[in-house]
């Protein structure tokens, strides 16, 4: 349920707290990010964020999702470093 793209989008939104700021950081449009989050929440069957005006605050399950997503992103960073090292020494 948590793929790399979802991990990036959800953690970035949690960090930025607004769709606009997160979308700018992710280099996508605000409507595209908003739609992606809505579809993801629909797919998993619960809200990952509560919305207070323009501020997105992770729900309890949202924090759990973010915790898992951060581990996925860390694993990806570790592999990228390993790959880079491997390619330099090949």
């Amino acid at each position: 349920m948590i793929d790399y793209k979802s991990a990036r989008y959800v953690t970035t939104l949690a960090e930025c707290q607004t769709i606009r700021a997160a979308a700018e950081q992710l280099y996508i449009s605000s409507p595209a990010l908003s739609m992606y989050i809505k579809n993801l929440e629909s797919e998993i069957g619960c809200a990952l964020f509560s919305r207070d005006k323009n501020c997105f605050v992770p729900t309890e399950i949202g924090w759990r999702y973010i915790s898992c997503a951060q581990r996925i992103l860390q694993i990806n960073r570790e592999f990228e470093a390993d790959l880079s090292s491997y390619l330099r020494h090949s």
Side-chain angles (χ1 to χ4, degrees), residues 11-26:
T11 57
T12 301
L13 181 53
E15 291 167 7
C16 295
Q17 297 184 333
T18 67
I19 287 284
R20 182 174 177 233
E24 286 176 9
Q25 190 169 333
L26 293 164

